[in-house]
Amino acid sequence: MTEQYQPSVVERKWQKKWEEANLYAIELEKAKNPYYCLVMFPYPSGARLHVGHWFQYGPTDSFARFKKMQGNDVFLPVGFDAFGLPAENYAIKTGTPPTKSTAENVQNMMKQFKRMGCMYDWSKTLNTSEPEYYRWTQWLFLQMYQKNLAYKKEAKVNFCPSCQTVLANEQCQDGMCERCGTEVEQKPMQQWFWKITDYAQRLLDGLDTMAWPEKTKLMQRNWIGKSEGATIKFEIKNQKSETHKKFEVNKTKTFVEVFTTRPDTLFGATYLVLAPEHPLVDEVMPKEHEGAVHAYREEVKKKSEMERTELNKTKTGIWIGAYAINPATEEEIPIWIADYVLINYGTGAVMAVPAHDERDYEFASVYALTVREVVKGGNIKDAAFTEEGSAINSDFLNGLSTSEAQKRIVAWLEDEEIGRQKIHYRLRDWLISRQRYWGAPIPIVYDPQGNAHPVSEEHLPWLLPTDVEWKPTGESPLKASKEFKKRTEKIFGKGWTPECDTMDTFVCSSFYYLRFLTNAHSQSKRVIDPALEKKWMPVDMYIGGPEHACMHLIYARFVMMALYDFGIVSHEEPFQKLVHQGLITNQGAKMSKSKGNIVDPDPLVEKYGSDIFRMYLMFMGPYGDGGDFSDTGIRGVERFMQRVWKIFKKAKEAPASLQGAAKSKKVQIKLHSTIKKVTEDMEKLHFNTAISALMELLHVLEKEESISKETLKTFAILLAPIAPHLAEEIWETQSAQHSFVFQQPWPSFDSTIVITDTMTIVVQVNGKMRASIEVDSGAKKADILAKAKEQPNVQKWLEGKNMKKTVYVQGRLINFVL
RNA sequence: GCCGCCGUGGUGGAAUGGUAUACACGGGGGACUUAAAAUCCCUGCUCAUUACGAGCGUGCUGGUUCGACUCCAGCCGGCGGCACCA
């Protein structure tokens, strides 16, 4: 053995041996004890892995190795989420086709993953931008289309004038484009949507069945935004018909519908507020108000999305000159418009109950509108009372509790046919159309009359054309392709045109966990083999960043549920357990290319090797916390590895008389408590404390004259998931015939070994530690107490005082209370 | 503003209501060495230095408890999410 441990030599040696032995290949059909460990697949934007990638893929590989050694048939795949904007932008800038730059990046990243030494089975990788993959993205679209979950509608969409592209709501932050920061415009366009809203309730219910962080569940609940209440129709008082009695014959009642979560406060509704954009405004507003209303609307339009939502300022609004009738009180109440009411939430109209809603209260104070208290319990002179209470000033509701009043009023509304119970969700349908090049083409064609027809499955993959300009024009780049148009006419007939939008990349990533599970049957015939799906799904452990809590993780769940309904899969939820890794920052700032503060791990990997770098990342702190990156401290991990090397070297080279000496009790106890600690910590992804436990064990072993072979072997096994290459190297020194440390079973903890002859009892006086004593494990309480009192430093404190109470905690401590 | 998470040495961080600061990094001191590197040992603060000594210490103020970093209440500070959601 060499004097010093040489990571670069050893790591290459074992990477080669693993590959030759095909150690990490997995036969999906034959696995007896399947464990699906999935880490969110990377986007191949840069050509190299950065520190964040290492932090995501290194420790999770360690976790998977741990699971494998525990006897699971672990499937840990990795692939590439390759469609998307950066490759397209790169193409725009340099003229390099995305196909080419993406393939190069993928090759580079794979090389680096191999250098990391992960246990990926590279025969099962995937790339969402390859036709073999995106044919299934298109297949999924067709399924959605056939089941009426895909539809097209004109919608005002967020349009980024700089990226010349449409953005999803979640891609606009504070009215700015998430990617480039340009202010987003509203632009009407024909867009494809998927009806995720049909699944709102199930997406909510499913959360209760999964082992996910509560925080993430809460974010999803928030995102789905369920509110229970009622819709109520308010009749609009027809002023025109009153003044022109001739037209009374044609008079039809006009209604405005509101949604409220507090129908019980209907008697307190003293005005209505519509969104400025509400179509009814033009219909019911008297002529003389048009000027003012128009002016107000212009003012609202001028405000950026940001200003409008900034708020907490004084609310603004204007009376439109019309009245509605409160169906409960039969009073005439004024109709206002105000920018705090949003056209795309609820019905775009609210009944204002200023006494019991903070916003309405504030609005009413500004414009001196009537405030009527209808729930007892607050002081409405000072503030709105939004809690529950008993109804007052509410005729037949008086005296009822809020929940009783709600039931009662809803029943009344339904009887009168002017309202009904309604559950509303904030979740909106998923806009999947993108006017971009680098994505999966939507498999739709249009006949000469403009009607949409699906491209049938036999024509999949519906290839992405290559004869295009990538320059953004605000139109889909595919429109420029002659080949695409020709292909469509050839198959469907003259005058037929292809859909030129591509799909959101979140569609690609909504089912990739199924595509990893491919075999001969599912390679090109079906999206997933039912037997494999049944066997491997749901994913046992899913690891990825918390930034995906509300988009990817909801879309993927929706798609899985839909496939369940289509009879394609047997589970409704794709990810049984979810864990988020923390974020690695650089001097407190998120690393990003644009900021130029990305830390390149390669020099450190070069200098210290993959094991040390990985272990250092794991030792930094709890995995879920992430942290600020700095390489101070990596030397500590390096020292640890060298010390490990040294004890194995010493054992190997020791004279025969010292080899395999009897195990000391002390070592046995430490060894077994370490087994326990490391096992529990690895299970919880508490890598930092698992490592410190191994460091403690090493300290004990270093003090021993000689160490038994068995102890050394166990040490190598415990270290294996954390430092795979070093572990193989030291394992080799201890195993007679050739075998891999990763084929060894994980050691089990023997609780009988940890039982000691003596125990240490801490002696406190008034809760302060004054001494500690060693007693026999079998010692009686009375003897222990007596011995404790004998301690000089205890006596000093007990002298001349009255003992009030004595607390004895079995095997731990004594507290004398004076 | 609302919701959630978190405040522990110079630093990263440990602690089922039971010895606060494990395991490391850095600084300081010491051992080894002609010297340096490497390695090993000691090191929270204050007062004592006769100690196997006392006091203070987990953001702040209280509370529960024999005993609180841990539980409860109220503040202060930081981070993340949502943004007038009717």
Side-chain angles (χ1 to χ4, degrees), chain A residues 63 110 136 139 182 243 280 371 421 479 511 516 566 658 811:
Chain A
F63 175 77
M110 275 170 67
W136 298 108
W139 170 88
T182 309
T243 45
L280 218 59
V371 178
Q421 193 171 18
K479 282 211 168 122
F511 67 101
F516 275 128
F566 305 162
L658 278 176

Side-chain angles (χ1 to χ4, degrees), chain A residues 270-512:
Chain A
T270 50
Y271 58 96
L272 292 186
V273 188
L274 311 192
E277 304 89 339
H278 201 292
L280 218 59
V281 173
D282 291 313
E283 235 177 274
V284 303
M285 151 178 73
K287 265 230 152 56
E288 57 271 29
H289 282 80
E290 271 174 16
V293 166
H294 186 73
Y296 179 72
R297 281 174 158 177
E298 284 304 308
E299 204 181 299
V300 170
K301 245 187 234 169
K302 257 188 271 166
K303 286 187 197 172
S304 71
E305 189 93 344
M306 207 169 160
E307 282 170 293
R308 222 177 127 169
T309 53
E310 190 183 297
L311 96 138
N312 280 354
K313 306 274 171 193
T314 315
K315 302 207 176 327
T316 65
I318 188 169
W319 179 47
I320 64 167
Y323 291 91
I325 294 163
N326 181 323
T329 61
E330 293 179 352
E331 281 174 328
E332 289 182 10
I333 57 174
I335 302 174
W336 288 64
I337 55 173
D339 59 0
Y340 80 90
V341 175
L342 308 174
I343 188 66
N344 52 12
Y345 186 82
T347 59
V350 300
M351 66 176 210
V353 186
H356 306 289
D357 181 281
E358 275 165 31
R359 289 153 310 176
D360 297 342
Y361 189 89
E362 197 192 319
F363 193 77
S365 331
V366 175
Y367 296 101
L369 294 157
T370 316
V371 178
R372 182 183 301 132
E373 183 177 27
V374 291
V375 182
K376 207 161 69 183
N379 180 0
I380 62 150
K381 283 203 176 66
D382 299 335
F385 176 67
T386 57
E387 284 156 52
E388 303 201 347
S390 67
I392 52 169
N393 299 327
S394 297
D395 196 352
F396 59 89
L397 298 181
N398 284 340
L400 296 180
S401 73
T402 297
S403 63
E404 288 167 339
Q406 282 176 357
K407 277 181 211 142
R408 186 73 169 272
I409 192 79
V410 167
W412 180 78
L413 289 167
E414 283 172 357
D415 277 352
E416 300 284 317
E417 294 181 357
I418 49 168
R420 62 189 175 87
Q421 193 171 18
K422 166 96 180 167
I423 294 169
H424 189 264
Y425 300 92
R426 175 162 33 180
L427 186 72
R428 291 173 209 160
D429 276 340
W430 178 10
L431 195 169
I432 61 144
S433 292
R434 292 296 123 94
Q435 290 68 45
R436 289 185 195 148
Y437 172 71
W438 194 229
I442 293 175
I444 286 284
V445 289
Y446 298 97
D447 62 29
Q449 287 73 46
N451 301 311
H453 300 268
V455 174
S456 63
E457 263 186 63
E458 62 184 298
H459 297 301
L460 300 188
W462 185 237
L463 290 173
L464 182 66
T466 51
D467 57 332
V468 293
E469 282 288 323
W470 302 301
K471 287 241 161 14
T473 58
E475 285 210 316
S476 303
L478 301 197
K479 282 211 168 122
S481 168
K482 289 192 177 108
E483 181 274 320
F484 202 31
K485 176 108 175 70
K486 223 191 279 161
R487 188 203 311 168
T488 305
E489 290 202 320
K490 193 175 163 202
I491 296 173
F492 298 96
K494 202 154 172 56
W496 286 61
T497 52
E499 167 65 60
C500 289
D501 287 357
T502 53
M503 278 183 262
D504 180 7
T505 53
F506 279 120
V507 177
C508 310
S509 57
S510 66
F511 67 101
Y512 75 111

Side-chain angles (χ1 to χ4, degrees), chain A residues 63 66-67 70 541 577 671-691 693-694 718 721-722 746-751 754:
Chain A
F63 175 77
F66 163 69
K67 279 287 162 195
Q70 277 190 321
M541 172 64 99
K577 183 165 185 174
L671 183 67
H672 275 264
S673 54
T674 305
I675 292 171
K676 183 167 190 268
K677 178 86 178 136
V678 171
T679 308
E680 288 170 359
D681 285 350
M682 288 301 291
E683 190 67 56
K684 290 184 284 192
L685 288 88
H686 291 181
F687 305 121
N688 56 332
T689 46
I691 292 169
L694 287 168
L718 291 175
I722 293 163
W746 192 256
S748 56
F749 160 69
D750 184 347
S751 60
V754 212

